[in-house]
């Protein structure tokens, strides 16, 4: 599976998420020291604009691990360091590959796409055939 742009999923109730973590809380959830959490920075993104890698000083962590440890909806996020901790702003929901359920709904309702057009958008190179029993 490969990531494809969606753009039709903004009506999802889980499309945007803002979560605040105190330095202490983030430290416990991430399993690193508070000092390391304060050094957080995003260092690499995927081709689908999701966080691939973060650094905490010399320590590295994948975007997926960060997402899972903090219970985020997606690895498409930004981090804002604040005085008392970090604010994480997340967009989208899910792992970023395959078919977006809300996107498929949006393409059908707003653009009138049928199931073949929707599946072809999310799964490049797919071929449809009839199976006789």
């Amino acid at each position: 599976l490969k990531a494809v742009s969606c753009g039709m999923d903004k009506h999802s109730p889980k499309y945007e998420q803002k979560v605040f973590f105190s330095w202490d809380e983030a430290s416990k959830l991430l399993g690193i020291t508070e000092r390391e959490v304060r050094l957080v920075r995003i260092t690499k993104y995927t081709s689908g604009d999701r966080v691939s890698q973060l650094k905490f000083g010399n320590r590295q962590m994948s975007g997926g691990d960060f997402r899972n440890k903090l219970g985020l909806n997606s690895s498409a996020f930004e981090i804002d360091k604040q005085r008392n901790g970090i604010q994480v702003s997340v967009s989208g929901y899910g792992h970023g590959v395959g078919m977006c359920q809300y996107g498929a709904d949006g393409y059908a309702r707003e653009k009138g796409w049928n199931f073949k057009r929707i599946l072809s958008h999310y799964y490049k190179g797919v071929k449809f055939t009839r199976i006789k029993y």
Side-chain angles (χ1 to χ4, degrees):
L1 296 176
K2 293 187 177 185
V4 297
S5 64
C6 184
M8 298 297 288
D9 57 348
K10 294 184 181 34
H11 63 290
S12 166
K14 295 187 176 182
Y15 183 75
E16 291 182 326
Q17 177 188 38
K18 286 191 184 283
V19 188
F20 178 82
F21 300 95
S22 69
W23 296 116
D24 181 59
E25 182 182 16
S27 168
K28 288 175 181 166
L29 290 170
L30 295 170
I32 60 178
T33 68
E34 187 176 316
R35 182 179 179 279
E36 289 172 313
V37 175
R38 290 175 182 268
L39 299 172
V40 64
R41 62 186 175 93
I42 297 169
T43 58
K44 192 187 279 185
Y45 292 87
T46 68
S47 59
D49 292 327
R50 293 174 180 267
V51 175
S52 172
Q53 198 77 41
L54 300 99
K55 274 198 168 185
F56 304 87
N58 293 327
R59 187 187 300 259
Q60 293 187 62
M61 183 179 294
S62 73
D65 284 346
F66 185 86
R67 171 196 175 190
N68 292 335
K69 289 179 179 191
L70 296 184
L72 305 175
N73 288 343
S74 165
S75 57
F77 58 81
E78 295 177 2
I79 298 171
D80 179 27
K81 294 181 197 178
Q82 299 180 355
R83 188 173 57 84
N84 296 328
I86 56 172
Q87 174 84 34
V88 185
S89 300
V90 186
S91 61
Y93 183 82
H95 47 72
V97 294
M99 186 169 65
C100 170
Q101 300 299 306
Y102 280 92
D105 177 69
Y107 284 121
R109 291 177 191 267
E110 294 180 36
K111 295 202 178 238
W113 289 7
N114 66 21
F115 77 95
K116 287 183 179 179
R117 177 69 178 97
I118 292 168
L119 290 173
S120 295
H121 172 73
Y122 288 105
Y123 303 104
K124 302 296 182 197
V126 69
K127 294 182 180 171
F128 298 93
T129 59
R130 289 196 182 268
I131 299 175
K132 294 185 180 184
Y133 294 97

